[in-house]
Amino acid sequence: MDIFKNIILKIEQLNEQTVFQEVQADFHIAFGIDKNFARGMGILIDAIHSHNTEEKIVFHVFTDGINQSDLDKLKKLTVYQNIIIKIYYIDINVFKNLPTTLAWSYATYYRFIMGKVLYGTVDKVLYIDADILCIGSLAELKNIDMGENIVLAISEEGQFNVKRLGIQQGKYFNAGALYIDINKWNAAQIAEKAVGLLQENPEKYTYLDQDVLNILLDGKTCFIDRKWNYLYDMRKMNSELPKGVVFIHFIGDKPWQRWSEHHFMVSFYNEYAKKTPWANVPLVEPIHYKDKKRMARSFVKRNMYMRALYWYGSYAISKITAKK
């Protein structure tokens, strides 16, 4: 039984007219998002275009829904002649029995189905998270020899996850950016097996889909330079970027969240954002008690202690209320 049969409810192409066909594309780039990440994805699409104006790119957006305001903004990006944007609306019932967290919604599993849906029309697809910013050319990526591997990825530092999951190849990858050979992905039934593992033992996998993909792609991953998925945690890092970075991946707090505005990397991100239809969209305000705690810490870092005290108080009240 094909668990992914009829999972796509509707496909919508945002471009009314295009100057190239999908088969002529230099890159196919895919996203898996819910409505909360449409802004980040839109800014990323614009940034990719700005650094790759000579490349023909098709963007495949897998989602369970996008707010109309964000959809209208995405349509404005189709003024660029070298891109096509397609929206694939997903029936999320397939994933309803898989685990989620406050940080990861069902959208984290949408990367499973891209290979299934695009099979037969696309040979390779670059999957990237929407909390990434592109600051360089992609041209070099398509010349990397994948050999017999299914994906290109970057390894995370440390051996904790390698030992925790028994990864034989000795490296654990971050799934925020994966260059995928679709034919090999489908032949190995990665999507079906990933869902199966999560259904069998969901408690085992701390990082959900990322963990099971590491298990299934153990020995089938070609590890490439970290410039293709440079992990940057604004909660802990205050360093400048190394030279040559192509993708900055904002793990942890995001540059469009109010509690991140103190960090200098937010100004860097906003240089890209202000060129897009999301330029004047307000920052996301804290709602959950964990966000309010982050807000308090943000004011501490700016030596604004009275404001920090206010937010610590709001955090405490919200946490108590949430537990009732």
Side-chain angles (χ1 to χ4, degrees), residues 12-73:
E12 179 182 7
Q13 182 166 313
L14 300 188
N15 308 61
E16 294 182 0
Q17 295 181 338
T18 61
V19 297
F20 70 96
Q21 301 297 315
E22 281 192 58
V23 294
Q24 299 173 307
D26 298 296
F27 283 101
H28 290 268
I29 298 177
F31 305 96
I33 65 162
D34 59 26
K35 63 183 180 180
N36 297 312
F37 278 83
R39 177 212 300 235
M41 182 190 69
I43 293 169
L44 173 53
I45 289 174
D46 192 271
I48 290 171
H49 164 264
S50 70
H51 289 285
N52 297 274
T53 55
E54 300 303 314
E55 308 283 355
K56 295 188 262 321
I57 304 172
V58 181
F59 293 99
H60 304 270
V61 180
F62 293 81
T63 182
D64 54 282
I66 299 177
N67 290 331
Q68 187 60 49
S69 60
D70 285 313
L71 196 59
D72 292 341
K73 291 178 175 65

Side-chain angles (χ1 to χ4, degrees), residues 40 66 77 116-117 129 153 165 177 185 187 195 205 214 239 277 290 301:
I66 299 177
L77 298 183
K116 304 288 293 181
V117 175
D129 281 349
L165 297 173
W185 175 279
V195 171
Y205 306 112
N214 267 275
S239 56
K290 290 185 179 180
K301 290 177 180 178

Side-chain angles (χ1 to χ4, degrees), residues 11 22-23 37 52 75-76 95 99 128 143 146 152 157 163 191 215 226 232 249 255 262 271 278 286 289 291 318 321:
I11 301 175
E22 281 192 58
V23 294
F37 278 83
N52 297 274
K75 288 179 180 178
K76 292 180 180 179
F95 304 116
I128 42 180
N143 296 321
M146 295 182 71
L152 302 180
E157 295 180 354
K163 295 177 181 177
I215 291 170
R226 285 191 172 90
Y232 199 102
H249 189 175
H262 66 278
E271 288 301 308
W278 289 266
Y289 69 83
D291 297 339
S318 296
T321 304

